[in-house]
Amino acid sequence: MAEIGFTWEWDDEADEARGCDFDPYDRFEAPEKTAWWFRLWTGNDEVDGSEFRFFGTTGGGDYVGFWLVRPGASNIEQPVVYLTSEGRCGVVARDLGDLLWLFANGLGPTEAFSDLGRETQPDEAFQAIAERHAPGRRRSSAEIVAGARQEFAGFPELIHAMCR
């Protein structure tokens, strides 16, 4: 994914964003950094965020990662969550395969979370990756996000219960 890259820009004339506001990490965030950030984000020194494997961020400091909620499943089979710097959160994809199809549809985690109805341009490079790694799973972005939110409907409440 990182080799293809993500571009994001603000069009002052049209007063709208284009592209995908996402910056993937080279590797998962270190557990110590996740613990520090999650404690700061929740205001709760008793949590450590160990149920997450964060793998990217946005220009605004939002976090994107896997939520390790499926026992025995690999990281890439776990749901993809989005936590904003303002304290909002949600599930945007059921797993990495669905996230790849969001990218193929021209959306990133930010857009899937807060601007799902935005008009996008499909990304041919990501379509090839999604076909290779998640064949037969092509769906609209709205279907992908709705499926994730339905399966993991209690995620925001669970996270907000950790906040102080």
Side-chain angles (χ1 to χ4, degrees), residues 1 5-10 16-25 55-65 80-86 92 99 102-103 106-115 118 120 123 126:
M1 290 188 314
F6 296 92
T7 58
W8 184 89
E9 63 185 34
W10 182 260
E16 64 184 16
R18 285 194 211 134
C20 183
D21 182 12
F22 182 62
D23 185 21
Y25 300 150
F55 59 83
T57 190
T58 69
D62 304 338
Y63 268 47
V64 179
V80 178
V81 298
Y82 185 82
L83 288 83
T84 74
S85 59
E86 295 88 28
V92 296
L99 182 63
L102 285 175
F103 291 143
L107 290 180
T110 302
E111 298 79 22
F113 181 76
S114 61
D115 198 8
R118 183 177 115 183
T120 62
D123 186 301
F126 274 112

Side-chain angles (χ1 to χ4, degrees), residues 122-134:
D123 186 301
E124 290 181 20
F126 274 112
Q127 285 178 343
I129 292 171
E131 283 291 352
R132 184 171 47 247
H133 296 285

Side-chain angles (χ1 to χ4, degrees), residues 38-58:
F38 198 65
R39 288 175 178 142
L40 182 67
W41 192 84
T42 60
N44 183 349
D45 289 337
E46 297 174 17
V47 297
D48 63 6
S50 60
E51 60 267 58
F52 301 104
R53 295 296 177 268
F54 292 112
F55 59 83
T57 190
T58 69

Side-chain angles (χ1 to χ4, degrees), residues 2 7 19 43 66 74 78 83 88 90 97 105 119 124 141 153 159 163:
T7 58
F66 294 115
S74 69
Q78 304 288 351
L83 288 83
R88 296 173 33 224
N105 292 340
E119 193 172 314
E124 290 181 20
S141 297
I159 297 303
C163 295

